[in-house]
Short mmCIF file of all heavy atoms in Angstrom, two decimals:
data_model
loop_
_atom_site.label_atom_id
_atom_site.label_comp_id
_atom_site.label_asym_id
_atom_site.label_seq_id
_atom_site.Cartn_x
_atom_site.Cartn_y
_atom_site.Cartn_z
N MET J 273 122.16 82.28 -8.08
CA MET J 273 120.81 82.53 -8.41
C MET J 273 120.04 81.16 -8.48
O MET J 273 120.57 80.24 -9.16
CB MET J 273 120.78 83.25 -9.89
CG MET J 273 119.43 83.60 -10.38
SD MET J 273 119.29 84.18 -12.04
CE MET J 273 120.00 85.87 -11.74
N ASN J 274 119.02 81.15 -7.80
CA ASN J 274 118.20 79.81 -7.82
C ASN J 274 117.32 79.82 -8.99
O ASN J 274 117.31 80.66 -9.91
CB ASN J 274 117.40 79.64 -6.53
CG ASN J 274 116.27 80.64 -6.34
OD1 ASN J 274 115.91 81.25 -7.41
ND2 ASN J 274 115.70 80.81 -5.27
N TRP J 275 116.69 78.52 -9.22
CA TRP J 275 116.07 78.15 -10.45
C TRP J 275 114.79 79.19 -10.68
O TRP J 275 114.59 79.49 -11.85
CB TRP J 275 115.61 76.83 -10.36
CG TRP J 275 114.88 76.23 -11.43
CD1 TRP J 275 113.57 75.92 -11.48
CD2 TRP J 275 115.36 75.99 -12.71
NE1 TRP J 275 113.22 75.52 -12.83
CE2 TRP J 275 114.31 75.48 -13.59
CE3 TRP J 275 116.61 76.08 -13.32
CZ2 TRP J 275 114.51 75.09 -14.88
CZ3 TRP J 275 116.79 75.72 -14.63
CH2 TRP J 275 115.80 75.16 -15.40
N ASN J 276 114.14 79.46 -9.56
CA ASN J 276 112.92 80.35 -9.72
C ASN J 276 113.31 81.74 -10.32
O ASN J 276 112.61 82.28 -11.11
CB ASN J 276 112.13 80.44 -8.45
CG ASN J 276 111.67 79.09 -7.99
OD1 ASN J 276 111.32 78.21 -8.84
ND2 ASN J 276 111.32 78.96 -6.71
N ASN J 277 114.26 82.25 -9.70
CA ASN J 277 114.75 83.59 -10.05
C ASN J 277 115.22 83.60 -11.57
O ASN J 277 115.15 84.57 -12.22
CB ASN J 277 115.87 84.18 -9.19
CG ASN J 277 115.32 84.57 -7.81
OD1 ASN J 277 114.28 84.78 -7.66
ND2 ASN J 277 116.21 84.56 -6.89
N CYS J 278 115.89 82.51 -11.94
CA CYS J 278 116.35 82.45 -13.28
C CYS J 278 115.16 82.35 -14.33
O CYS J 278 115.26 82.94 -15.36
CB CYS J 278 117.27 81.15 -13.36
SG CYS J 278 118.05 81.01 -14.96
N ILE J 279 114.17 81.68 -13.98
CA ILE J 279 112.96 81.55 -14.78
C ILE J 279 112.32 83.00 -14.83
O ILE J 279 111.98 83.45 -16.01
CB ILE J 279 112.00 80.67 -14.19
CG1 ILE J 279 112.53 79.22 -14.37
CG2 ILE J 279 110.63 80.59 -14.90
CD1 ILE J 279 112.61 78.68 -15.82
N ARG J 280 112.18 83.71 -13.73
CA ARG J 280 111.70 84.96 -13.75
C ARG J 280 112.51 85.95 -14.71
O ARG J 280 111.95 86.75 -15.41
CB ARG J 280 111.54 85.50 -12.34
CG ARG J 280 110.53 84.87 -11.44
CD ARG J 280 110.48 85.43 -10.16
NE ARG J 280 109.67 84.65 -9.27
CZ ARG J 280 108.35 84.69 -9.20
NH1 ARG J 280 107.62 85.54 -10.02
NH2 ARG J 280 107.63 83.93 -8.47
N GLN J 281 113.78 85.86 -14.59
CA GLN J 281 114.67 86.77 -15.35
C GLN J 281 114.57 86.45 -16.96
O GLN J 281 114.51 87.32 -17.72
CB GLN J 281 116.09 86.61 -14.83
CG GLN J 281 117.08 87.58 -15.46
CD GLN J 281 116.80 89.06 -15.03
OE1 GLN J 281 116.25 89.19 -13.89
NE2 GLN J 281 117.05 89.92 -15.78
N ILE J 282 114.45 85.11 -17.27
CA ILE J 282 114.24 84.70 -18.58
C ILE J 282 112.89 85.28 -19.11
O ILE J 282 112.74 85.67 -20.22
CB ILE J 282 114.36 83.10 -18.67
CG1 ILE J 282 115.69 82.68 -18.52
CG2 ILE J 282 113.80 82.75 -20.04
CD1 ILE J 282 115.82 81.20 -18.41
N HIS J 283 111.89 85.16 -18.15
CA HIS J 283 110.54 85.62 -18.62
C HIS J 283 110.48 87.10 -18.95
O HIS J 283 109.90 87.64 -19.85
CB HIS J 283 109.53 85.30 -17.47
CG HIS J 283 108.23 85.56 -17.72
ND1 HIS J 283 107.38 84.75 -18.62
CD2 HIS J 283 107.32 86.52 -17.55
CE1 HIS J 283 106.14 85.14 -18.74
NE2 HIS J 283 106.15 86.35 -18.02
N ARG J 284 111.30 87.92 -18.03
CA ARG J 284 111.37 89.36 -18.27
C ARG J 284 112.08 89.62 -19.65
O ARG J 284 111.53 90.57 -20.36
CB ARG J 284 112.19 89.97 -17.19
CG ARG J 284 111.42 89.95 -15.93
CD ARG J 284 112.17 90.78 -14.77
NE ARG J 284 111.50 90.60 -13.54
CZ ARG J 284 112.02 90.02 -12.38
NH1 ARG J 284 113.29 89.65 -12.54
NH2 ARG J 284 111.48 89.91 -11.45
N TRP J 285 113.17 89.05 -19.94
CA TRP J 285 113.90 89.13 -21.17
C TRP J 285 113.07 88.79 -22.40
O TRP J 285 113.08 89.42 -23.44
CB TRP J 285 115.31 88.62 -21.17
CG TRP J 285 116.32 89.41 -20.33
CD1 TRP J 285 116.79 89.09 -19.04
CD2 TRP J 285 116.93 90.64 -20.78
NE1 TRP J 285 117.62 90.06 -18.68
CE2 TRP J 285 117.73 91.09 -19.66
CE3 TRP J 285 116.73 91.33 -21.87
CZ2 TRP J 285 118.36 92.21 -19.67
CZ3 TRP J 285 117.52 92.68 -21.89
CH2 TRP J 285 118.25 92.96 -20.81
N LEU J 286 112.29 87.64 -22.16
CA LEU J 286 111.55 87.25 -23.33
C LEU J 286 110.43 88.19 -23.54
O LEU J 286 110.04 88.46 -24.65
CB LEU J 286 110.84 85.92 -22.93
CG LEU J 286 111.75 84.72 -23.16
CD1 LEU J 286 111.00 83.37 -22.56
CD2 LEU J 286 112.10 84.54 -24.53
N SER J 287 109.90 88.81 -22.46
CA SER J 287 108.81 89.88 -22.76
C SER J 287 109.39 91.14 -23.55
O SER J 287 108.60 91.72 -24.40
CB SER J 287 108.14 90.32 -21.31
OG SER J 287 109.19 91.08 -20.64
N ILE J 288 110.62 91.47 -23.36
CA ILE J 288 111.22 92.49 -24.07
C ILE J 288 111.43 92.15 -25.50
O ILE J 288 111.15 92.89 -26.37
CB ILE J 288 112.66 92.89 -23.24
CG1 ILE J 288 112.42 93.49 -21.94
CG2 ILE J 288 113.45 93.88 -24.29
CD1 ILE J 288 113.64 93.89 -21.13
N ALA J 289 111.93 90.92 -25.71
CA ALA J 289 112.05 90.45 -27.07
C ALA J 289 110.72 90.36 -27.89
O ALA J 289 110.80 90.81 -29.07
CB ALA J 289 112.83 89.08 -27.04
N PHE J 290 109.73 89.95 -27.12
CA PHE J 290 108.46 89.76 -27.79
C PHE J 290 107.90 91.13 -28.22
O PHE J 290 107.49 91.49 -29.26
CB PHE J 290 107.41 89.02 -26.87
CG PHE J 290 106.00 89.19 -27.36
CD1 PHE J 290 105.71 88.26 -28.41
CD2 PHE J 290 105.04 89.78 -26.81
CE1 PHE J 290 104.41 88.28 -28.85
CE2 PHE J 290 103.76 89.88 -27.25
CZ PHE J 290 103.50 89.07 -28.32
N THR J 291 108.02 92.19 -27.22
CA THR J 291 107.63 93.45 -27.46
C THR J 291 108.38 94.11 -28.72
O THR J 291 107.84 94.74 -29.58
CB THR J 291 107.70 94.46 -26.20
OG1 THR J 291 107.12 93.79 -25.20
CG2 THR J 291 107.38 95.84 -26.61
N ALA J 292 109.63 93.96 -28.82
CA ALA J 292 110.46 94.31 -29.89
C ALA J 292 110.08 93.80 -31.14
O ALA J 292 110.05 94.51 -32.15
CB ALA J 292 111.97 94.12 -29.57
N THR J 293 109.76 92.47 -31.13
CA THR J 293 109.36 91.82 -32.47
C THR J 293 107.96 92.33 -32.88
O THR J 293 107.74 92.36 -34.01
CB THR J 293 109.39 90.35 -32.42
OG1 THR J 293 108.46 89.84 -31.25
CG2 THR J 293 110.77 89.75 -32.16
N VAL J 294 107.13 92.55 -32.03
CA VAL J 294 105.80 93.12 -32.41
C VAL J 294 105.87 94.54 -32.93
O VAL J 294 105.25 94.89 -33.93
CB VAL J 294 104.77 93.05 -31.09
CG1 VAL J 294 103.50 93.88 -31.35
CG2 VAL J 294 104.47 91.69 -30.69
N ILE J 295 106.84 95.31 -32.30
CA ILE J 295 106.81 96.71 -32.77
C ILE J 295 107.55 96.53 -34.27
O ILE J 295 107.15 97.29 -35.06
CB ILE J 295 107.78 97.52 -31.87
CG1 ILE J 295 106.98 97.80 -30.74
CG2 ILE J 295 108.38 98.76 -32.49
CD1 ILE J 295 107.90 98.40 -29.49
N ALA J 296 108.57 95.71 -34.44
CA ALA J 296 109.00 95.61 -35.79
C ALA J 296 108.10 95.11 -36.73
O ALA J 296 108.11 95.58 -37.89
CB ALA J 296 110.30 94.60 -35.65
N ASN J 297 107.25 94.36 -36.32
CA ASN J 297 106.05 93.73 -37.14
C ASN J 297 105.24 94.90 -37.66
O ASN J 297 104.95 95.02 -38.97
CB ASN J 297 105.36 92.69 -36.45
CG ASN J 297 104.45 91.79 -37.37
OD1 ASN J 297 104.44 92.11 -38.57
ND2 ASN J 297 104.01 90.74 -36.82
N PHE J 298 104.83 95.78 -36.77
CA PHE J 298 104.02 96.96 -37.09
C PHE J 298 104.79 97.93 -38.01
O PHE J 298 104.15 98.52 -39.01
CB PHE J 298 103.43 97.70 -35.86
CG PHE J 298 102.29 97.02 -35.23
CD1 PHE J 298 102.40 96.32 -34.01
CD2 PHE J 298 101.05 97.04 -35.86
CE1 PHE J 298 101.30 95.64 -33.45
CE2 PHE J 298 99.93 96.41 -35.36
CZ PHE J 298 100.08 95.70 -34.12
N VAL J 299 106.10 98.16 -37.75
CA VAL J 299 106.81 99.02 -38.63
C VAL J 299 106.90 98.46 -39.89
O VAL J 299 106.68 99.22 -40.95
CB VAL J 299 108.30 99.36 -37.89
CG1 VAL J 299 109.09 99.93 -38.99
CG2 VAL J 299 108.01 100.08 -36.65
N ALA J 300 107.10 97.08 -40.15
CA ALA J 300 107.32 96.47 -41.40
C ALA J 300 105.98 96.55 -42.00
O ALA J 300 105.97 96.75 -43.33
CB ALA J 300 107.82 95.11 -41.21
N MET J 301 104.81 96.47 -41.49
CA MET J 301 103.52 96.42 -42.11
C MET J 301 103.25 97.91 -42.67
O MET J 301 102.60 98.09 -43.55
CB MET J 301 102.45 95.99 -41.12
CG MET J 301 102.37 94.41 -40.98
SD MET J 301 101.01 94.14 -39.85
CE MET J 301 101.18 92.25 -39.74
N GLY J 302 103.64 98.93 -41.85
CA GLY J 302 103.49 100.16 -42.23
C GLY J 302 104.33 100.67 -43.58
O GLY J 302 103.95 101.51 -44.26
N LEU J 303 105.42 99.85 -43.73
CA LEU J 303 106.20 100.10 -44.90
C LEU J 303 105.85 99.36 -46.19
O LEU J 303 106.35 99.63 -47.22
CB LEU J 303 107.74 99.81 -44.56
CG LEU J 303 108.43 100.67 -43.54
CD1 LEU J 303 109.75 100.29 -43.18
CD2 LEU J 303 108.42 102.08 -43.96
N GLY J 304 104.95 98.40 -46.10
CA GLY J 304 104.48 97.61 -47.17
C GLY J 304 104.23 96.16 -46.76
O GLY J 304 103.97 95.99 -45.61
N GLU J 305 104.29 95.33 -47.68
CA GLU J 305 104.09 93.79 -47.41
C GLU J 305 105.26 93.40 -46.72
O GLU J 305 106.33 93.18 -47.32
CB GLU J 305 103.73 93.16 -48.64
CG GLU J 305 103.40 91.65 -48.50
CD GLU J 305 102.09 91.44 -47.65
OE1 GLU J 305 101.10 92.40 -47.80
OE2 GLU J 305 101.90 90.47 -46.98
N PRO J 306 105.26 92.89 -45.36
CA PRO J 306 106.32 92.44 -44.83
C PRO J 306 106.54 90.93 -45.08
O PRO J 306 105.77 90.19 -45.53
CB PRO J 306 105.92 92.47 -43.25
CG PRO J 306 104.41 92.46 -43.22
CD PRO J 306 104.05 92.99 -44.51
N PRO J 307 107.93 90.65 -45.01
CA PRO J 307 108.26 89.14 -45.32
C PRO J 307 107.75 88.23 -44.15
O PRO J 307 107.56 88.71 -43.10
CB PRO J 307 109.81 89.17 -45.38
CG PRO J 307 110.20 90.42 -44.69
CD PRO J 307 109.12 91.40 -44.85
N ALA J 308 107.63 87.08 -44.54
CA ALA J 308 107.09 86.09 -43.62
C ALA J 308 107.85 85.87 -42.33
O ALA J 308 107.36 85.71 -41.22
CB ALA J 308 106.92 84.65 -44.27
N LEU J 309 109.15 86.22 -42.44
CA LEU J 309 110.07 86.02 -41.34
C LEU J 309 109.75 87.09 -40.25
O LEU J 309 109.71 86.78 -39.09
CB LEU J 309 111.58 86.22 -41.79
CG LEU J 309 112.55 86.09 -40.55
CD1 LEU J 309 112.58 84.74 -39.95
CD2 LEU J 309 113.89 86.52 -41.07
N VAL J 310 109.38 88.22 -40.71
CA VAL J 310 108.91 89.37 -39.79
C VAL J 310 107.58 89.02 -39.26
O VAL J 310 107.43 89.37 -38.05
CB VAL J 310 109.13 90.68 -40.49
CG1 VAL J 310 108.65 91.87 -39.57
CG2 VAL J 310 110.42 91.04 -41.02
N VAL J 311 106.73 88.66 -39.94
CA VAL J 311 105.40 88.36 -39.57
C VAL J 311 105.34 87.29 -38.38
O VAL J 311 104.61 87.31 -37.46
CB VAL J 311 104.47 87.95 -40.70
CG1 VAL J 311 103.15 87.60 -40.21
CG2 VAL J 311 104.35 88.98 -41.70
N TYR J 312 106.08 86.23 -38.61
CA TYR J 312 106.10 85.10 -37.66
C TYR J 312 107.17 85.23 -36.62
O TYR J 312 107.15 84.42 -35.72
CB TYR J 312 106.16 83.81 -38.45
CG TYR J 312 105.00 83.48 -39.37
CD1 TYR J 312 105.34 83.35 -40.65
CD2 TYR J 312 103.74 83.45 -38.84
CE1 TYR J 312 104.16 83.25 -41.62
CE2 TYR J 312 102.72 83.14 -39.63
CZ TYR J 312 102.93 83.05 -40.99
OH TYR J 312 101.85 82.86 -41.91
N SER J 313 107.90 86.23 -36.52
CA SER J 313 109.09 86.27 -35.52
C SER J 313 108.48 86.49 -34.15
O SER J 313 109.18 86.02 -33.21
CB SER J 313 109.90 87.52 -35.91
OG SER J 313 109.30 88.69 -35.89
N PRO J 314 107.38 87.07 -33.89
CA PRO J 314 106.86 87.00 -32.43
C PRO J 314 106.42 85.78 -31.80
O PRO J 314 106.29 85.69 -30.74
CB PRO J 314 105.74 88.10 -32.48
CG PRO J 314 105.90 88.95 -33.68
CD PRO J 314 106.53 87.97 -34.67
N LEU J 315 106.37 84.71 -32.69
CA LEU J 315 105.72 83.52 -32.22
C LEU J 315 106.75 82.72 -31.20
O LEU J 315 106.25 82.26 -30.09
CB LEU J 315 105.29 82.73 -33.33
CG LEU J 315 104.06 83.02 -34.17
CD1 LEU J 315 103.79 82.21 -35.24
CD2 LEU J 315 102.80 83.18 -33.26
N LEU J 316 108.07 82.75 -31.60
CA LEU J 316 109.00 82.10 -30.63
C LEU J 316 109.00 82.56 -29.32
O LEU J 316 108.84 81.88 -28.31
CB LEU J 316 110.36 82.06 -31.37
CG LEU J 316 111.43 81.22 -30.44
CD1 LEU J 316 111.00 79.83 -30.24
CD2 LEU J 316 112.75 81.56 -31.02
N PRO J 317 109.09 84.01 -29.08
CA PRO J 317 109.16 84.45 -27.76
C PRO J 317 107.74 84.35 -27.17
O PRO J 317 107.70 84.15 -25.93
CB PRO J 317 109.54 85.94 -27.87
CG PRO J 317 109.87 86.16 -29.32
CD PRO J 317 109.58 84.92 -30.10
N LEU J 318 106.70 84.37 -27.84
CA LEU J 318 105.38 84.20 -27.34
C LEU J 318 105.25 82.80 -26.77
O LEU J 318 104.79 82.63 -25.61
CB LEU J 318 104.29 84.52 -28.34
CG LEU J 318 102.87 84.31 -27.92
CD1 LEU J 318 102.61 85.40 -26.86
CD2 LEU J 318 101.96 84.49 -29.07
N PHE J 319 105.61 81.72 -27.36
CA PHE J 319 105.55 80.40 -26.85
C PHE J 319 106.40 80.19 -25.67
O PHE J 319 106.00 79.53 -24.68
CB PHE J 319 105.80 79.35 -28.05
CG PHE J 319 104.82 79.19 -28.97
CD1 PHE J 319 104.97 79.29 -30.33
CD2 PHE J 319 103.50 78.91 -28.56
CE1 PHE J 319 103.93 79.19 -31.33
CE2 PHE J 319 102.43 78.73 -29.49
CZ PHE J 319 102.72 78.93 -30.90
N LEU J 320 107.59 80.71 -25.71
CA LEU J 320 108.52 80.64 -24.52
C LEU J 320 107.82 81.46 -23.37
O LEU J 320 108.06 81.03 -22.19
CB LEU J 320 109.88 81.18 -24.82
CG LEU J 320 110.57 80.28 -26.02
CD1 LEU J 320 111.94 81.03 -26.29
CD2 LEU J 320 110.83 78.91 -25.46
N LEU J 321 107.26 82.53 -23.68
CA LEU J 321 106.64 83.28 -22.56
C LEU J 321 105.52 82.48 -21.98
O LEU J 321 105.25 82.48 -20.81
CB LEU J 321 106.08 84.61 -23.10
CG LEU J 321 106.97 85.76 -23.16
CD1 LEU J 321 106.41 86.87 -23.93
CD2 LEU J 321 107.37 86.28 -21.77
N LEU J 322 104.77 81.82 -22.83
CA LEU J 322 103.68 80.83 -22.29
C LEU J 322 104.17 79.81 -21.29
O LEU J 322 103.57 79.57 -20.29
CB LEU J 322 103.00 80.17 -23.54
CG LEU J 322 101.95 79.11 -23.19
CD1 LEU J 322 100.68 79.71 -22.67
CD2 LEU J 322 101.66 78.24 -24.42
N PHE J 323 105.39 79.21 -21.68
CA PHE J 323 105.80 78.06 -20.81
C PHE J 323 106.38 78.68 -19.51
O PHE J 323 106.19 78.14 -18.45
CB PHE J 323 106.79 77.24 -21.50
CG PHE J 323 106.27 76.54 -22.77
CD1 PHE J 323 106.88 76.68 -23.89
CD2 PHE J 323 105.16 75.71 -22.53
CE1 PHE J 323 106.27 75.90 -25.06
CE2 PHE J 323 104.65 74.97 -23.58
CZ PHE J 323 105.11 75.16 -24.87
N THR J 324 107.15 79.79 -19.62
CA THR J 324 107.62 80.33 -18.38
C THR J 324 106.48 80.93 -17.56
O THR J 324 106.67 80.92 -16.33
CB THR J 324 108.74 81.46 -18.62
OG1 THR J 324 108.18 82.43 -19.43
CG2 THR J 324 109.89 80.78 -19.36
N GLY J 325 105.52 81.51 -18.07
CA GLY J 325 104.42 82.13 -17.37
C GLY J 325 103.62 80.97 -16.70
O GLY J 325 103.11 81.14 -15.52
N LEU J 326 103.38 80.03 -17.34
CA LEU J 326 102.62 78.83 -16.78
C LEU J 326 103.51 78.23 -15.67
O LEU J 326 102.87 77.89 -14.47
CB LEU J 326 102.33 77.83 -17.82
CG LEU J 326 101.24 78.08 -18.77
CD1 LEU J 326 101.15 76.94 -19.88
CD2 LEU J 326 99.88 78.27 -18.02
N TYR J 327 104.79 78.16 -15.73
CA TYR J 327 105.62 77.72 -14.70
C TYR J 327 105.40 78.58 -13.50
O TYR J 327 105.32 78.05 -12.29
CB TYR J 327 107.09 77.65 -15.11
CG TYR J 327 108.05 77.21 -13.98
CD1 TYR J 327 108.17 75.98 -13.54
CD2 TYR J 327 108.65 78.29 -13.36
CE1 TYR J 327 108.97 75.61 -12.56
CE2 TYR J 327 109.60 77.99 -12.28
CZ TYR J 327 109.79 76.67 -11.89
OH TYR J 327 110.49 76.38 -10.82
N MET J 328 105.42 79.86 -13.66
CA MET J 328 105.41 80.73 -12.47
C MET J 328 103.98 80.87 -11.89
O MET J 328 103.88 81.00 -10.76
CB MET J 328 105.89 82.22 -12.88
CG MET J 328 107.32 82.27 -13.17
SD MET J 328 107.88 84.05 -13.50
CE MET J 328 106.91 84.54 -14.90
N PHE J 329 103.04 80.50 -12.83
CA PHE J 329 101.61 80.55 -12.33
C PHE J 329 101.44 79.28 -11.35
O PHE J 329 100.74 79.18 -10.31
CB PHE J 329 100.77 80.49 -13.36
CG PHE J 329 99.15 80.29 -12.97
CD1 PHE J 329 98.64 81.48 -12.62
CD2 PHE J 329 98.54 79.14 -13.12
CE1 PHE J 329 97.23 81.38 -12.23
CE2 PHE J 329 97.23 79.04 -12.71
CZ PHE J 329 96.54 80.26 -12.38
N VAL J 330 102.06 78.07 -11.75
CA VAL J 330 101.77 76.80 -11.00
C VAL J 330 102.59 76.72 -9.85
O VAL J 330 102.32 75.98 -8.99
CB VAL J 330 101.94 75.55 -11.99
CG1 VAL J 330 101.94 74.36 -11.37
CG2 VAL J 330 100.95 75.72 -13.07
N LEU J 331 103.69 77.56 -9.80
CA LEU J 331 104.75 77.29 -8.76
C LEU J 331 104.17 77.39 -7.38
O LEU J 331 104.50 76.65 -6.52
CB LEU J 331 105.81 78.33 -8.87
CG LEU J 331 107.09 78.21 -8.01
CD1 LEU J 331 107.79 76.86 -8.19
CD2 LEU J 331 108.03 79.21 -8.34
N PRO J 332 103.35 78.45 -6.93
CA PRO J 332 102.86 78.46 -5.63
C PRO J 332 101.94 77.29 -5.15
O PRO J 332 102.03 76.83 -4.07
CB PRO J 332 102.03 79.79 -5.62
CG PRO J 332 102.50 80.64 -6.81
CD PRO J 332 102.98 79.59 -7.72
N TYR J 333 101.22 76.80 -6.09
CA TYR J 333 100.35 75.64 -5.92
C TYR J 333 101.11 74.39 -5.74
O TYR J 333 100.79 73.63 -4.85
CB TYR J 333 99.15 75.53 -6.95
CG TYR J 333 98.51 76.67 -7.23
CD1 TYR J 333 98.67 77.55 -8.38
CD2 TYR J 333 97.38 77.07 -6.43
CE1 TYR J 333 97.88 78.64 -8.51
CE2 TYR J 333 96.72 78.20 -6.55
CZ TYR J 333 96.90 78.95 -7.64
OH TYR J 333 96.22 80.06 -7.73
N ALA J 334 102.25 74.28 -6.54
CA ALA J 334 102.99 73.06 -6.33
C ALA J 334 103.82 73.05 -5.06
O ALA J 334 104.00 71.97 -4.40
CB ALA J 334 104.03 73.00 -7.52
N THR J 335 104.24 74.13 -4.58
CA THR J 335 105.01 74.20 -3.36
C THR J 335 103.99 74.10 -2.13
O THR J 335 104.43 73.43 -1.18
CB THR J 335 105.77 75.59 -3.16
OG1 THR J 335 104.86 76.65 -3.36
CG2 THR J 335 106.78 75.65 -4.16
N LYS J 336 102.79 74.51 -2.44
CA LYS J 336 101.82 74.33 -1.23
C LYS J 336 101.48 72.72 -1.12
O LYS J 336 101.29 72.29 -0.03
CB LYS J 336 100.45 75.12 -1.58
CG LYS J 336 99.53 75.16 -0.44
CD LYS J 336 98.35 75.82 -0.73
CE LYS J 336 98.51 77.23 -1.01
NZ LYS J 336 97.26 78.00 -1.31
N LEU J 337 101.39 72.14 -2.28
CA LEU J 337 101.02 70.66 -2.33
C LEU J 337 102.17 69.91 -1.63
O LEU J 337 101.96 68.91 -1.02
CB LEU J 337 100.69 70.18 -3.66
CG LEU J 337 99.40 70.62 -4.26
CD1 LEU J 337 99.22 70.12 -5.68
CD2 LEU J 337 98.33 70.02 -3.35
N ARG J 338 103.41 70.30 -1.93
CA ARG J 338 104.61 69.64 -1.37
C ARG J 338 104.93 70.02 0.03
O ARG J 338 105.72 69.37 0.76
CB ARG J 338 105.92 69.94 -2.27
CG ARG J 338 105.95 69.16 -3.47
CD ARG J 338 107.26 69.49 -4.06
NE ARG J 338 107.37 70.82 -4.59
CZ ARG J 338 108.39 71.42 -4.99
NH1 ARG J 338 109.55 70.78 -4.98
NH2 ARG J 338 108.38 72.64 -5.52
N GLY J 339 104.13 71.08 0.59
CA GLY J 339 104.26 71.35 2.06
C GLY J 339 105.45 72.25 2.24
O GLY J 339 106.13 72.39 3.26
N GLY J 340 105.83 72.97 1.13
CA GLY J 340 107.01 73.86 1.09
C GLY J 340 106.64 75.18 1.88
O GLY J 340 105.57 75.53 2.25
N ARG J 341 107.56 76.10 2.00
CA ARG J 341 107.47 77.38 2.61
C ARG J 341 106.85 78.55 1.62
O ARG J 341 106.52 79.52 2.07
CB ARG J 341 108.83 77.99 3.08
CG ARG J 341 109.17 77.11 4.32
CD ARG J 341 110.54 77.59 4.88
NE ARG J 341 110.79 78.99 4.51
CZ ARG J 341 111.99 79.54 4.61
NH1 ARG J 341 113.03 78.84 4.74
NH2 ARG J 341 112.08 80.84 4.26
N GLY J 342 106.74 78.06 0.27
CA GLY J 342 106.15 79.10 -0.61
C GLY J 342 107.19 79.53 -1.60
O GLY J 342 108.47 79.12 -1.45
N ALA J 343 106.83 80.26 -2.58
CA ALA J 343 107.77 80.68 -3.64
C ALA J 343 108.89 81.65 -3.14
O ALA J 343 109.92 81.71 -3.79
CB ALA J 343 106.98 81.31 -4.81
N ALA J 344 108.55 82.41 -2.16
CA ALA J 344 109.51 83.41 -1.57
C ALA J 344 110.67 82.66 -0.74
O ALA J 344 111.75 83.33 -0.57
CB ALA J 344 108.89 84.39 -0.75
N GLY J 345 110.41 81.62 -0.29
CA GLY J 345 111.24 80.91 0.74
C GLY J 345 112.12 79.97 0.21
O GLY J 345 112.65 79.60 -0.68
#
């Protein structure tokens, strides 16, 4: 598995983790006042999603500037 596919796979799993933490947050809020750990738990996957998403966004432009064949090649 090359580096780009690894980043994409990490991004997919992070999105699942982020969605699960947001759902857990809403469930906890429905049950009463949630603890701070539950409230702030979506932030870590969100920041990691930001970095992996920015990497995948910039990748086609970076390969074009280097004269590469593109992200697929």
Side-chain angles (χ1 to χ4, degrees):
M273 183 183 289
N274 69 16
W275 183 250
N276 295 335
N277 289 337
C278 185
I279 293 291
R280 290 180 190 279
Q281 192 67 29
I282 290 170
H283 189 79
R284 288 182 190 122
W285 282 105
L286 283 171
S287 67
I288 292 170
F290 175 71
T291 303
T293 56
V294 169
I295 290 171
N297 200 346
F298 278 107
V299 168
M301 285 183 182
L303 297 175
E305 185 66 28
L309 179 67
V310 175
V311 173
Y312 296 119
S313 62
L315 291 179
L316 178 63
L318 182 63
F319 285 126
L320 294 173
L321 277 170
L322 172 73
F323 295 125
T324 57
L326 285 174
Y327 173 81
M328 290 190 299
F329 178 77
V330 172
L331 187 63
Y333 302 108
T335 55
K336 189 184 298 184
L337 286 175
R338 281 190 288 173
R341 290 178 26 200

